[in-house]
């Protein structure tokens, strides 16, 4: 299960403010359910869970397994909501080092660094340790089919794949909207395999569609358990939304009390990607018309030695959300050492997980004492089911919270501003 602990945050809030926020969240949840709030045409991320498409899951999984059997490298080419969800799940559920049996997953199209792309192309061209050439596949993911970062990287990778492999066509898989966009023209011209991202699902809400599911399955993660974890959370919340509403309303009451930043922190580096996905989901959904909290991603205890001073004693305009794994593998146990020269024998017999847990508890205690309200989101354990549950929880929580701000959680008009200026500087026709 996923469990929320709001106890320390609630000590910073008046009961009346909390109650008022809870009632607001309840009304907002009703609007999501009845599709009567802002952007009702973007609620497809709920419909896919209320009516699961098992045939699609099987189709994605079967292509992923054949890619796993043949590929050395699988490139995920996308930006924002088109890759962050996949990366989050892959980081959370696959080992930190070594790709295991499956292909190495590499990300591209998520920025426009020529150095990165040059190095990537050199890496793809270099033979394996046994001298044989690498087998490379790419999944280009772009709902609009026109995003410059993704389209530019794909142009370079696609050309190389066509020049290098006789079976180039099968090595290129596209995920995009049903129609429109330059990517659909390329698909039609080359007969590439295509998965569709439904029109009613926005990029950052798309991880449980083929956008996220194909890369996640290629990485060896069980997408059925992931998807059905989210389905379970959906069904449970429809019946009893109280935990969700308490989370959304606590966050709302903290925002109303003047908090301007939500620091998303974890002591487990494998949850860094999940925090990054949450950062985008929350940031793009709530940052509108001068409203919303800035979501900041922190990796502890590393960042306690970087911005810990600021969290403890800087401006008191921040709240903190901890992502906690209760039952992580015990893994390494600290051994007793003769002489105790490094003074660490007091930890002998304890697992790193136990020590890390105390670091979390100590940090939370210190931050609360320093005036930072904290919410903890506990994963009972880190597996497909819990990650699936967490994904839906975050999606529904931000939708409810942003409805409370009287904004549309599903658009991102502000993202166009940098593109407009960039296109003018690049001399794009019509810009
Ligand atoms: O959440 C969103 O909608 C955005 O982050 C998009 O995913 C991102 O801008 C990429 O867009 P596209 O998939 O059209 O290339």
């Amino acid at each position: 299960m996923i469990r929320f602990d709001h106890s320390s945050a609630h000590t910073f809030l008046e009961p009346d403010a909390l109650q008022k926020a809870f009632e607001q969240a309840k009304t907002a949840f009703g609007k999501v359910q009845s599709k009567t709030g802002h952007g009702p045409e973007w609620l497809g991320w709920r419909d896919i869970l209320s009516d699961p498409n098992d045939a699609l899951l099987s189709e994605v999984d079967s292509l992923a397994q054949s890619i796993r059997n043949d590929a050395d490298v699988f490139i995920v080419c996308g930006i924002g909501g088109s890759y962050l969800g996949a990366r989050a799940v892959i980081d959370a559920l696959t080992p930190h080092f070594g790709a295991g049996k499956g292909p190495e997953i590499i990300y591209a199209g998520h920025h426009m660094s020529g150095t990165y792309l040059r190095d990537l192309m050199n890496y793809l061209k270099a033979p394996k340790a046994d001298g044989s050439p690498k087998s490379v596949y790419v999944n280009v993911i772009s709902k609009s089919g026109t995003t410059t970062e993704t389209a530019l990287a794909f142009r370079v990778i696609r050309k190389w794949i066509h020049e290098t492999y006789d079976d180039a066509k099968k090595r290129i898989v596209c995920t995009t909207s049903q129609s429109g966009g330059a990517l659909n023209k390329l698909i039609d011209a080359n007969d590439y395999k295509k998965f569709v991202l439904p029109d009613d699902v926005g990029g950052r809400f798309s991880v449980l569609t083929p956008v996220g599911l194909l890369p996640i399955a290629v990485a060896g993660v069980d997408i059925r358990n992931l998807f059905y974890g989210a389905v379970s959370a959906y069904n449970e919340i429809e019946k009893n939304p109280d935990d969700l509403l308490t989370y959304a309303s606590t966050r709302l009451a903290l925002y109303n009390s003047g908090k301007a930043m939500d620091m998303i922190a974890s002591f487990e580096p494998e949850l860094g990607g999940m925090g990054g996905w949450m950062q985008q989901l929350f940031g793009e959904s709530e940052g509108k018309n001068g409203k919303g909290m800035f979501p900041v991603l922190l990796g502890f205890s590393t960042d306690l030695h970087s911005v810990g001073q600021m969290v403890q004693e800087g401006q008191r305009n921040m709240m903190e959300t901890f992502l906690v794994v209760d039952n992580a593998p015990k893994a390494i146990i600290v051994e007793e050492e003769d002489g105790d020269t490094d003074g660490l024998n007091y930890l002998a017999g304890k697992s790193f997980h136990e020590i890390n847990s105390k670091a979390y508890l100590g940090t939370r205690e210190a931050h609360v004492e320093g005036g930072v309200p904290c919410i903890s989101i506990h994963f009972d354990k880190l597996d497909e089911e819990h990650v699936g549950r967490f994904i839906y929880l975050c999606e529904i929580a931000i939708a409810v919270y942003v409805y409370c701000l009287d904004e549309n959680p599903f658009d991102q008009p502000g993202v166009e501003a940098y593109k407009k200026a960039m296109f003018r500087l690049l001399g794009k026709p019509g810009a």
Side-chain angles (χ1 to χ4, degrees), residues 67-89:
I67 293 175
R68 271 175 74 71
N69 290 336
D70 189 39
D72 297 305
V73 174
F74 182 75
I75 302 169
V76 180
C77 187
I79 194 167
S82 286
Y83 93 106
L84 282 165
R87 187 172 202 160
V89 177

Side-chain angles (χ1 to χ4, degrees), residues 56-261:
L56 179 63
L57 285 178
S58 300
E59 188 193 347
V60 170
D61 200 44
S62 115
L63 178 63
Q65 295 323 315
S66 73
I67 293 175
R68 271 175 74 71
N69 290 336
D70 189 39
D72 297 305
V73 174
F74 182 75
I75 302 169
V76 180
C77 187
I79 194 167
S82 286
Y83 93 106
L84 282 165
R87 187 172 202 160
V89 177
I90 293 168
D91 285 1
L93 297 176
T94 63
H96 282 286
F97 305 105
K101 276 201 287 116
E104 182 181 3
I105 309 287
I106 295 184
Y107 301 93
H110 54 319
H111 50 60
M112 289 185 281
S113 161
T115 309
Y116 181 93
L117 197 57
R118 178 204 61 197
D119 291 354
L120 171 60
M121 298 317 294
N122 286 341
Y123 178 69
L124 299 180
K125 288 171 194 165
K128 295 191 279 186
D130 65 6
S132 63
K134 290 189 180 96
S135 168
V136 176
Y137 283 66
V138 63
N139 180 198
V140 59
I141 308 160
S142 177
K143 183 170 183 187
S144 61
T146 54
T147 300
T148 314
E149 288 85 343
T150 303
L152 260 184
F154 182 52
R155 177 186 269 215
V156 174
I157 295 164
R158 177 167 45 92
K159 178 168 184 283
W160 177 77
I161 287 184
H162 276 280
E163 285 168 356
T164 307
Y165 302 103
D166 293 336
D167 57 357
K169 201 185 93 176
K170 79 161 195 197
R171 294 173 178 274
I172 296 175
V173 183
C174 307
T175 309
T176 188
S177 46
Q178 182 66 52
S179 58
L183 187 51
N184 268 313
K185 287 188 192 150
L186 284 169
I187 293 167
D188 292 344
N190 294 281
D191 195 22
Y192 295 138
K193 169 74 188 160
K194 167 176 163 177
F195 285 104
V196 173
L197 171 56
D199 286 344
D200 57 1
V201 182
R204 59 190 172 278
F205 289 81
S206 68
V207 52
L208 297 173
T209 72
V211 166
L213 294 176
L214 181 65
I216 290 167
V218 171
V221 174
D222 185 329
I223 54 169
R224 246 191 105 72
N225 286 347
L226 177 82
F227 190 88
Y228 273 91
V231 170
S232 303
Y234 172 89
N235 289 327
E236 287 162 18
I237 290 169
E238 288 303 290
K239 282 198 200 106
N240 179 4
D242 279 5
D243 281 354
L244 160 84
L245 297 181
T246 306
Y247 170 55
S249 56
T250 302
R251 205 170 173 272
L252 177 66
L254 290 170
Y255 170 69
N256 288 338
S257 76
K259 299 304 171 200
M261 257 190 272

Side-chain angles (χ1 to χ4, degrees), residues 4-13 247 250-255 257-267 278 282 293-324 359-378:
F4 294 96
D5 178 358
H6 306 101
S7 52
S8 76
H10 285 181
T11 62
F12 289 82
L13 294 163
Y247 170 55
T250 302
R251 205 170 173 272
L252 177 66
L254 290 170
Y255 170 69
S257 76
K259 299 304 171 200
M261 257 190 272
D262 182 0
M263 298 175 294
I264 303 162
S266 177
F267 282 76
M278 211 174 154
F282 284 22
M293 286 189 278
F294 190 92
V296 181
L297 180 62
L298 296 178
F300 288 162
S301 56
T302 316
D303 286 334
L304 291 174
H305 297 259
S306 147
V307 291
Q309 171 64 33
M310 171 62 89
V311 177
Q312 197 66 43
E313 297 182 1
Q315 268 199 69
R316 300 299 74 190
N317 61 351
M318 48 187 91
M319 62 162 288
E320 193 164 27
T321 303
F322 286 106
L323 307 183
V324 185
Y360 150 64
L361 288 171
T363 303
R364 195 179 72 156
E365 187 180 308
H367 288 179
V368 170
E369 269 170 27
V372 179
C374 297
I375 296 175
S376 298
I377 307 180
H378 291 257

Side-chain angles (χ1 to χ4, degrees), residues 400-421:
V400 166
Y401 167 91
V402 178
Y403 273 5
C404 293
L405 303 185
D406 198 16
E407 294 294 338
N408 183 348
F410 310 119
D411 62 1
Q412 55 283 328
V415 180
E416 295 311 308
Y418 97 90
K419 293 184 191 169
K420 213 171 147 199

